[in-house]
Amino acid sequence: MHEARHGQPLSSELLLLVGAGEGTPVLPASGEQQRRPIGVVLADEASSVAAKPAAGSRWCFSDAVESDPAGRDFARSTDCCTLRWTPAKGRHATATREISRGRVLLRASAAAVASTAASGAATALLAESSGRDGAAASADAQRVGLDASTLALSLELLRSGREAAEEAAGSLLTHREHLSAAEAEAWERTAQRLRSAAASSGGSGCSCASGWSDEAVLRLLLAVHANAHPVLDDATASRTVGLGLFPAACLLNHSCAPTGVLSFEAGGKVLVVRALVDLRRGQEVTYSYLDEPHLFAPWRQRRALLRAAHRYEPSQPRSREESEAAALCRSRLPAAALGELEAEVRALCSEAAAAAEEAEEAAAEEAEAA
């Protein structure tokens, strides 16, 4: 998709599946796409054509389309949205009718959730299995930006069994094609260590790890790293309590002017997307990949974060571009008025810093008294 890690645009060539007789068409591909089949969501109007035999043979166009578990999960998770594909945006979700602000758009069930407490255990398990290689394992994790939460969630999926894990993550993007040679090697070594760690913990419910190859574990690890969502507490949606993989939600695009907002239910096992604005029929459902402080940062910072973390070239929504330009246009205020505002802001910042310092001193005094 144009604005997301989860639905990178497929080339038009990939959608033109052409074959004759009983042969299967060869799909032009590159990078990661050359190493695995591509899941394609056919438009409703094309489904009947795809199911018919081609050129009088027994072969159908639908025979060349891989099953799409994430797409099926999406269809089960909503009654007012559908998946579309365009060259500009790739696969993305749109409203099937007019939707009022606040309405639930999507309820995505978790394939797995790892609590913050599980992160420490996963790190310890990997370090224990690495043995003397612990320093190298830590260096590889730092090189690729692998944190303890991603490691713990990957272990949870490994423990769920290969069939269930591949059903959850098999059709999600991994961004493998964007890795440098050094990053790819670091990820490969990390996957090998993770597989060994999972196999060595068979007594704690991970005996199924023996059915995994290093390549399968690598793809799972990359898919989790690219698609996992931080899980927030149910009550306030302000405190991170874990990390989860929600395949249906992974198909939503990012926007710096989002039309949806995330929350969680059932102890973080269900991700809920609600309409942030009134939606028209056909309007795209998006949310922000950035947390709130970063979402309100200047465009230059947002663009750098999205490029680095989600491996795509973002675009600035016109509404944000206009509002940011107006905010940066200092000439609209007289110099005297601007100086007064700046002085007022500095005074407020000083008061806030003093209040924080007083609060820290009071807390320290209470701790000493206790």
Side-chain angles (χ1 to χ4, degrees):
M1 60 178 62
H2 180 63
E3 285 197 336
R5 52 187 173 173
H6 308 306
Q8 180 178 344
L10 303 176
S11 70
S12 57
E13 295 174 300
L14 286 173
L15 297 182
L16 297 176
L17 307 179
V18 180
E22 296 185 12
T24 301
V26 177
L27 303 184
S30 61
E32 178 189 344
Q33 295 173 348
Q34 196 168 2
R35 293 188 286 272
R36 68 181 183 88
I38 294 295
V40 178
V41 178
L42 294 176
D44 295 340
E45 57 272 18
S47 297
S48 60
V49 176
K52 293 179 180 179
S57 71
R58 290 176 297 174
W59 181 85
C60 300
F61 287 102
S62 57
D63 293 337
V65 180
E66 188 187 50
S67 63
D68 179 33
R72 291 197 302 271
D73 188 35
F74 182 91
R76 291 191 296 264
S77 303
T78 181
D79 62 356
C80 60
C81 300
T82 190
L83 292 174
R84 299 291 182 191
W85 186 93
T86 65
K89 294 183 178 180
R91 186 155 61 158
H92 58 284
T94 62
T96 57
R97 58 179 182 268
E98 291 186 355
I99 299 173
S100 300
R101 176 183 178 184
R103 191 193 189 285
V104 172
L105 303 172
L106 184 77
R107 272 195 168 89
S109 298
V113 174
S115 67
T116 51
S119 301
T123 303
L125 177 62
L126 186 64
E128 182 181 348
S129 66
S130 300
R132 296 178 180 178
D133 195 32
S138 178
D140 281 341
Q142 186 173 2
R143 176 187 292 274
V144 299
L146 176 64
D147 57 22
S149 298
T150 301
L151 185 63
L153 181 56
S154 300
L155 274 172
E156 287 295 326
L157 285 161
L158 281 171
R159 288 169 176 153
S160 71
R162 182 166 181 176
E163 183 177 352
E166 291 188 339
E167 174 77 9
S171 60
L172 301 178
L173 291 183
T174 64
H175 299 314
R176 190 172 182 173
E177 68 275 16
H178 297 298
L179 300 178
S180 67
E183 288 174 330
E185 291 173 359
W187 275 113
E188 289 167 3
R189 290 190 296 267
T190 302
Q192 292 167 2
R193 296 184 187 107
L194 181 62
R195 179 171 174 266
S196 298
S200 67
S201 66
S204 60
C206 201
S207 58
C208 57
S210 58
W212 289 80
S213 65
D214 288 342
E215 173 63 24
V217 174
L218 172 60
R219 193 182 187 288
L220 175 68
L221 192 57
L222 289 171
V224 170
H225 185 258
N227 295 280
H229 285 83
V231 176
L232 306 179
D233 67 290
D234 291 4
T236 66
S238 62
R239 182 171 55 88
T240 301
V241 296
L243 190 71
L245 186 67
F246 304 85
C250 293
L251 302 180
L252 300 180
N253 270 351
H254 164 83
S255 175
C256 289
T259 59
V261 64
L262 308 185
S263 61
F264 294 86
E265 296 177 351
K269 295 180 180 178
V270 177
L271 182 153
V272 180
V273 182
R274 293 182 182 274
L276 194 58
V277 297
D278 292 336
L279 291 170
R280 305 180 308 276
R281 180 180 179 182
Q283 187 173 352
E284 186 177 5
V285 176
T286 61
Y287 74 100
S288 172
Y289 292 177
L290 304 174
D291 57 16
E292 191 169 310
H294 290 138
L295 178 59
F296 292 103
W299 167 235
R300 182 165 52 95
Q301 296 178 22
R302 284 181 280 129
R303 180 174 56 188
L305 286 169
L306 291 166
R307 282 174 172 173
H310 303 296
R311 309 278 188 169
Y312 82 101
E313 184 60 38
S315 60
Q316 168 82 311
R318 179 175 295 180
S319 59
R320 290 294 304 269
E321 184 177 4
E322 291 173 350
S323 63
E324 189 167 318
L328 294 174
C329 186
R330 301 167 69 94
S331 62
R332 296 191 178 187
L333 281 176
L338 184 61
E340 291 176 3
L341 284 174
E342 290 177 344
E344 186 176 349
V345 169
R346 284 194 295 269
L348 289 172
C349 290
S350 298
E351 291 176 8
E357 186 176 349
E358 290 177 3
E360 290 179 2
E361 291 176 353
E365 291 175 359
E366 290 179 2
E368 291 177 1

